[in-house]
Amino acid sequence: MSIDPTTLLPHRPPFLLVDELTAVRAGEGASGLWHLTGDEPFFAGHFPGRPTLPGVLMVEALAQVGACAVLADERYAGKLPLFGGIDSARFRRQVVPGDVLELAVEMTTLSARGGKGHGVASVSGKKACEADIFFVIG
């Protein structure tokens, strides 16, 4: 199953950081993929001669996948989940052009005003990043 994330997210290029959703369970979790081609503008400056995906963009990509799980829930349709915080972020390996970032977020708390999810980003099954992501509903 492949779902276009723009059917749920307000984000658009160049700040749409998920190419396709592979699963969405409304209010529970979601997974998706980000295909890094090397043509993304941030690679030119991070770092010249050794392009590496910035960790903060991995966390943002996880947040976007988590937002899809939230926005798929009819209680939050048309709302805007905004970052409320990030805890326990850990970066385990470099992500480089040509990699496919596998993104998975499980919602751990969800209320009318916000929630929390745990996200893991991997490449070829090897963990690259994980974080607890807090959000508020705007």
Side-chain angles (χ1 to χ4, degrees):
M1 164 169 110
S2 180
I3 302 167
D4 178 355
T6 64
T7 62
L8 294 168
L9 288 176
H11 301 73
R12 295 296 180 266
F15 210 68
L16 178 64
L17 305 182
V18 57
D19 294 320
E20 63 181 293
L21 297 168
T22 53
V24 176
R25 295 177 332 282
E28 295 178 17
S31 59
L33 301 172
W34 185 14
H35 302 267
L36 295 155
T37 65
D39 293 331
E40 295 84 1
F42 51 79
F43 279 132
H46 194 268
F47 298 96
R50 191 168 177 187
T52 303
L53 177 63
V56 68
L57 293 183
M58 278 192 266
V59 176
E60 173 63 26
L62 288 169
Q64 289 183 18
V65 168
C68 289
V70 173
L71 294 171
D73 186 316
E74 64 185 32
R75 296 175 294 171
Y76 306 102
K79 305 273 180 154
L80 184 62
L82 300 167
F83 255 127
I86 302 164
D87 276 350
S88 305
R90 297 291 180 266
F91 303 96
R92 310 282 184 202
R93 70 182 300 276
Q94 288 184 320
V95 178
V96 299
D99 284 346
V100 176
L101 197 61
E102 303 150 1
L103 305 157
V105 177
E106 292 297 320
M107 303 313 300
T108 56
T109 306
L110 198 56
S111 74
R113 298 181 60 198
K116 177 181 174 183
H118 181 77
V120 176
S122 305
V123 175
S124 299
K126 295 179 183 169
K127 193 181 295 181
C129 168
E130 68 180 314
D132 291 324
I133 301 166
F134 298 85
F135 66 93
V136 294
I137 300 295

